[in-house]
Amino acid sequence: MSNELNRVSAAEAHALLGQGYCYLDVRTVEEYAAGHPVGAFNIPVMHRGQSGMTENSEFLQVVEATFAN
């Protein structure tokens, strides 16, 4: 797995999805529910709670399980 981060435009992302790439949306569940690309996977980095934002301690494990080869 590469640790490299690549930024792409919306048009580039759309083209990559057409080539079989996956879209990982790391926004909160509420933000994802307000709108997201078709076929996007939502695994939040942070959760919104009564006391504010908290880190999703299971983020990496869920990502690895979701995208396991």
Side-chain angles (χ1 to χ4, degrees), residues 3 14 16 24 26 30 32 39-40 42 46 48 53 65 67-68:
N3 290 328
H14 180 71
L16 290 169
L24 175 58
V26 298
E30 298 84 4
Y32 180 82
N42 180 227
M46 303 289 284
R48 187 180 317 277
M53 300 295 283
F67 297 102

Side-chain angles (χ1 to χ4, degrees), residues 11 15 21 25 30 34 43 46 49 54 66 68-69:
Y21 282 78
D25 190 325
E30 298 84 4
I43 305 173
M46 303 289 284
T54 58
T66 302
N69 293 346

Side-chain angles (χ1 to χ4, degrees), residues 22-62:
C22 296
Y23 190 105
L24 175 58
D25 190 325
V26 298
R27 298 175 300 153
T28 64
V29 171
E30 298 84 4
E31 291 168 323
Y32 180 82
H36 58 273
V38 174
F41 292 86
N42 180 227
I43 305 173
V45 169
M46 303 289 284
H47 293 295
R48 187 180 317 277
Q50 292 180 345
S51 59
M53 300 295 283
T54 58
E55 182 179 329
N56 178 359
S57 62
E58 298 176 347
F59 176 77
L60 186 57
Q61 294 86 350
V62 174

